[in-house]
Amino acid sequence: MHFLAAFNIWEIFLRCDIVGQVITTSLAVSSIIAWGVMFGKRNDLRQLRLLNLAFEQHLRDQRTLLDLPESYRNKRSIPYGDLFADAIDAYWRAAEIGKQKGIDTAQYRLEHTENALQRALARQILRYESSMVFLASIVSGAPFMGLLGTVWGVMEAFSAISVQQTASIQTLAPGVSAALLTTIAGLVVAIPSVFGYNYLFASNKRLITELENYASSLADRIELESQ
């Protein structure tokens, strides 16, 4: 039964004109890419969260952050590690410049540290949100591409009827079925992408909130240690 359904779909695809076949093929390729992006993004976010939690727990076990060895600043592949490295580097760079200019104060160092944290935070948020624009484009664009193929196919079907000067279900059905194939293809691409996008959007929002909370707690701890 499934074999016959697949065979019928293939037959309908072959009845499409070049425009319908191009649209259907494009949607099929987009579907494969979208599934790959969704699974890849989900795995990346899960791995990053595990690395973040492990790094944060390791920092909690340290008595001081400002005097940690250089090796702790080489974990920039981890979002939390990137924020930590930028914050500590900015703190000591501000201390060095402040001594040279005679303005070395805790407030001066903390201002540079907070600015560095904000820049690192924005950079990591962009990292979290990568590939989301592509999925959003698939979600919004696939149904319209399917609709375009359907309108084009129906127009071609009625054009063929006007040439043959006969209007029957036998002459109309093949063209209409071929036209509707693009609508089905558009929905098959868009529906899973909607659920995948919403799931990834919620995961991104949670990770960004955790990242902001970590940046805030890191700034507080550096401020307390600098007093």
Side-chain angles (χ1 to χ4, degrees):
M1 189 69 178
H2 295 292
F3 173 78
L4 292 177
F7 181 76
N8 289 335
I9 291 176
W10 178 249
E11 287 291 324
I12 294 173
F13 175 78
L14 294 179
R15 284 200 296 267
C16 293
D17 64 351
I18 185 62
V19 175
Q21 290 182 353
V22 168
I23 292 176
T24 304
T25 303
S26 300
L27 289 171
V29 173
S30 298
S31 178
I32 295 173
I33 297 175
W35 278 103
V37 169
M38 287 188 290
F39 279 110
K41 189 66 177 178
R42 188 200 65 164
N43 294 336
D44 287 343
L45 293 178
R46 179 178 297 179
Q47 183 67 19
L48 287 177
R49 188 167 191 268
L50 293 176
L51 293 173
N52 284 339
L53 294 177
F55 186 83
E56 184 179 21
Q57 184 60 47
H58 193 64
L59 286 187
R60 287 178 181 174
D61 298 334
Q62 308 302 316
R63 296 182 58 185
T64 178
L65 300 182
L66 296 176
D67 298 325
L68 287 177
E70 184 72 22
S71 59
Y72 283 84
R73 305 180 210 174
N74 297 329
K75 301 182 183 295
R76 292 187 176 272
S77 60
I78 305 173
Y80 283 13
D82 189 40
L83 266 67
F84 173 79
D86 273 16
I88 299 300
D89 287 345
Y91 180 89
W92 289 117
R93 185 168 57 250
E96 181 180 353
I97 296 174
K99 288 179 181 179
Q100 295 174 1
K101 295 183 177 181
I103 55 174
D104 184 24
T105 63
Q107 184 63 29
Y108 178 76
R109 285 173 280 174
L110 290 175
E111 287 178 358
H112 283 269
T113 300
E114 290 176 359
N115 290 336
L117 274 174
Q118 290 300 319
R119 290 191 296 270
L121 181 63
R123 184 170 62 247
Q124 291 303 322
I125 289 176
L126 290 177
R127 179 182 180 183
Y128 283 151
E129 294 179 346
S130 64
S131 304
M132 296 299 292
V133 174
F134 174 79
L135 284 179
S137 300
I138 291 294
V139 168
S140 58
F144 288 105
M145 288 186 64
L147 180 61
L148 172 63
T150 299
V151 173
W152 179 270
V154 170
M155 182 180 66
E156 288 294 312
F158 280 105
S159 296
I161 291 175
S162 65
V163 172
Q164 298 174 4
Q165 296 181 352
T166 56
S168 64
I169 190 66
Q170 288 80 11
T171 57
L172 187 62
V176 173
S177 63
L180 292 176
L181 179 63
T182 57
T183 299
I184 295 174
L187 294 177
V188 167
V189 175
I191 291 174
S193 298
V194 167
F195 290 106
Y197 177 83
N198 290 335
Y199 170 80
L200 292 175
F201 180 82
S203 299
N204 262 334
K205 187 175 181 180
R206 181 184 62 179
L207 288 178
I208 290 173
T209 301
E210 293 176 351
L211 190 67
E212 291 173 343
N213 292 337
Y214 167 78
S216 178
S217 63
L218 181 61
D220 289 342
R221 187 168 175 183
I222 292 175
E223 181 178 1
L224 290 174
E225 292 185 14
S226 66
Q227 301 301 322

